[in-house]
Amino acid sequence: MISYQSEGGVAVDERPVAPNVTSFDLKEYLAQRKMLVEAALDKSLPVVPPETIYNSMRYSLLAGGKRLRPILCLATCELTGGTLEMAMPTACALEMVHTMSLIHDDLPSMDNDDYRRGKLTNHKIYGEDIAILAGDGLLSYAFEHLALETKGVPADRLLQVVARLGRAVGAEGLVGGQVVDLESEGKSGITVEMLDFIHTHKTAALLEVSVVSGAILTGSAPDDIQRLTRYAQNIGLAFQIVDDILDITATQEELGKSIGKDVQAQKATYPSLWGLDTSRVKAQEMVDLAKDEIRIFGDLARPLMALADYITARTY
Amino acid sequence: MISYQSEGGVAVDERPVAPNVTSFDLKEYLAQRKMLVEAALDKSLPVVPPETIYNSMRYSLLAGGKRLRPILCLATCELTGGTLEMAMPTACALEMVHTMSLIHDDLPSMDNDDYRRGKLTNHKIYGEDIAILAGDGLLSYAFEHLALETKGVPADRLLQVVARLGRAVGAEGLVGGQVVDLESEGKSGITVEMLDFIHTHKTAALLEVSVVSGAILTGSAPDDIQRLTRYAQNIGLAFQIVDDILDITATQEELGKSIGKDVQAQKATYPSLWGLDTSRVKAQEMVDLAKDEIRIFGDLARPLMALADYITARTY
């Protein structure tokens, strides 16, 4: 049971029915949240000597993007009775970790990408050595920042966030997914199970901790954490299917990064296994499952409902 | 004031005088502690799928070395009234972070080293992509491991360790030092101040958190944390001066890594600025200062006293 319910005395069965998400202005919500997150990110990392490394870290951290991970964290913190302020350092930490993974994935020895979000990748500007170090700096700073800057949250909850964030980045998460992704390149016979492994680790793990950390900060009940975990796992895989679709259908200008890379690299993708139409259907099914999980939170779940819809809306 | 004193009722001025460190069997102490640390490291990271990344992480984590950082952490935890058990996850985390920095520093785009501790470097065995990911995995796992596995320590103390460890690794620590080190290569006119910047960040910062974290875990008083911080800063710089000396005087067999690399890379070192003899004298002065800081702890400081002496003893 989440905190506002125990305070408000609303019994579980009497929770309000699902909201009409079309009445929620997601565009305005995302724009406003993105602005808050970017202001906090900018403030979190001032440039001090040695300037090179801070400039490199800031170059990628402040390079735009949807800020989906911090926005999810802020949304679940509010949904479970918390404030934006108490979640913001964790939200920033999630974006730092995500940025680290993009910088390192783009390196010549990995995916060898020249463009990211319409800009040259970090190593194209700062060199491979500084790009590796900028990633290391962002990863360690993520933990430092959330441990030092979070106010009004008991230390044991923050420690849970530290542990979950660490797991989501490491060999059980991002790193493990990237390893299997690299190993599968150019191989034939990649199965849906292997693709699922790659993406539950490479994409869904960090989305999951983004969603769940907001609820951990407020001390949410295990049942609610479980619901939000399943919501996150479903939107995480849907998100990746949509990314694979966009790699085929979008133009470079729309996407802001090199496109058709998956095909060039002979990477197995969901569309290569299922075709485009079935991939769209599966992504929609996962979004629907995600929304079912959080219907019980009623009107308060509007942002998360709309965010789930937003993921598949990108493909049309 | 440290905990055993407030319990024991010994006034500060009546603390026992400095022990005769020659009566302390450092060799036996180091061998025994190293064995404990290596058993804990081995247990901390079992191999699960995807095996490649775990094998790569373990290859470097279990490649030997002095285990100085974990041993320092265990020593200060015991010195300030704690147990080995409560410090071991932090001790392991320190070695994971240290190993990450070695793997990344050895990469072709950084120091381009083929050997480390007498073995091929991580990227020579596993490739550059996996080596980068193994470093990332070790760094994130360090935080996860200490947050999850530490028993009997209040969460707010662990959170302080997380914050300090993060700072020691990032742009204010290891990463910042490595950036200035890379920038200074081949440049003339490197000053002692610049060398000090490099090494207080690249070496001393992690040694400092190794020493201080053990005392944070026991809830030590600020005065004692300050003393231990100054001890650590002095041995940190002495350690680097000695490393520079050994790069010139030791044989590859003795050192287990490529030697003369600093000279080849036209790196400024303390011996290149001061000469070998003066470098030895300065290292000894810092070790003496370090020992003065902890004399007040009496007999309990024997391991830290002997460890300080051990650093300069390596140069003769």
Side-chain angles (χ1 to χ4, degrees), chain A residues 46-63:
Chain A
V47 177
V48 296
E51 285 86 357
T52 316
I53 187 69
Y54 289 96
N55 287 332
S56 168
M57 289 160 77
R58 287 175 60 89
Y59 175 78
S60 294
L61 187 63
L62 303 177

Side-chain angles (χ1 to χ4, degrees), chain B residues 253-274:
Chain B
E253 196 180 342
E254 282 164 3
L255 213 56
K257 63 179 178 182
S258 311
I259 56 156
K261 293 284 296 187
D262 295 345
V263 177
Q264 277 172 36
Q266 291 191 275
K267 275 194 185 178
T269 65
Y270 290 104
S272 74
L273 288 170
W274 290 334

Side-chain angles (χ1 to χ4, degrees), chain A residues 293-305:
Chain A
E293 289 292 346
I294 55 168
R295 218 170 286 283
I296 200 167
F297 294 114
D299 271 3
L300 287 166
R302 281 182 176 204
L304 290 184
M305 289 277 184

